[in-house]
Amino acid sequence: MEPGLEELMPRLLPVGDCDLAEDFDPTVPPRTPQEYLKRVQIEAARCPDVVVAQIDPRKLKKKPTVNISISGCQPAPEGYSPTLKWQQQQVANFSAVRQSLNKHRNHWRSQQLDSNVTMPKSEDEEGWKKFCLGERVYSEIDALSDNENLGIDYMKVGFPPLLSIVSRMSQATVTSVLEYLISWFGEKKFTPELGRWLYALLACLEKPLLPEAHSLIRQLARRCSQVRALEESKNEEQISALNLIICLVSR
C-alpha cells in the first residue's frame, strides 16, 4: 500500500517485520500467529483496488411482484377475482382508517362506555368470542326467540367494534382476540359479525408487526381463501368480504 493511502487507511492489524522460517510457504496452512498475519497481508495485497459487479441487465426488466405471496392460499372462483384497481382502493381506505384510529385513539379511549358494556379480560377466550360474535352466532342459534324485548340485546348479537372499545385494547389484547376469532373461524362459517371485528382488529395492529401477528394474519388469509373456494352459492357480498381480508393481508 502506498504511504499516502496508508495514512488515510491505517492497517487494522499492523504487523512489523517478524522472523519467519526460511521455508515459509504462504500456500500452506499457517503454523504460528506470525505466519497467519503475514498470509493475510499477502492475500490483501493481491485483492484489486476496484471490483465491478457483473449484472445481467435482462433481470432488471422484470416487473416486481405487486403483492406478498401467501403460501396455501387458494385462487378465487372464476369471475370473482378482484381487480387491481379495487385492491388499491381498499388498501387506501384501510390506511386512512388506521391513521385516523392512531390519531384519535386517546380521545376515544377517554369516552365512557355504556353501562351494559363489560369487556372481558385478555385471557378470557370464550368471553371474547361471545362478546364479539354474540351468543346467537357463537352458539349457532338460527333465530332469536319471539318473546324478546324490543331493542338490541348485544349479549345475543354481539358488540360491534366501536372505537370506544377497540381504543381501550392493548396490543397484547388485540393480538389475543384476533387469535381467538381466527381459531373460531377455523371450524365455523364466515359471518358479518366476524368480518367487522377482523377488519377492526387488523386496523388496530401497530407496526412493526410482531412475528406472532405475521403468522396469525397469514393463517387468516389462508382460511378466507378456503372458505371462498368452497362458497357454493357464490354469495357476492360474502366473497367480496373474504377478498377484502385477503387483499389487506397480502398487501
Side-chain angles (χ1 to χ4, degrees), residues 3 10 24 35 39 45 54 61 67 74 92 113 135 165-166 207 212 240 246-248:
F24 169 69
E35 288 185 359
R39 181 175 176 178
Q54 299 298 323
K61 296 181 180 180
N67 56 343
Q74 301 183 27
L113 294 174
E135 294 179 356
I165 293 177
V166 297
K207 295 181 179 180
E212 53 266 34
S240 179
I246 297 171
C247 167
L248 296 180

Side-chain angles (χ1 to χ4, degrees), residues 8-77:
L8 295 175
M9 302 174 60
R11 294 178 182 176
L12 182 61
L13 295 172
V15 180
D17 295 333
C18 54
D19 296 332
L20 296 175
E22 294 182 358
D23 60 345
F24 169 69
D25 185 355
T27 62
V28 300
R31 295 167 295 181
T32 65
Q34 290 79 8
E35 288 185 359
Y36 169 77
L37 294 175
K38 188 64 177 179
R39 181 175 176 178
V40 170
Q41 285 184 326
I42 294 173
E43 291 179 353
R46 293 173 180 173
C47 292
D49 295 333
V50 179
V51 179
V52 179
Q54 299 298 323
I55 301 176
D56 186 354
R58 293 174 296 179
K59 295 182 179 181
L60 301 178
K61 296 181 180 180
K62 294 183 179 181
K63 294 183 179 180
T65 53
V66 178
N67 56 343
I68 301 172
S69 175
I70 302 178
S71 59
C73 271
Q74 301 183 27

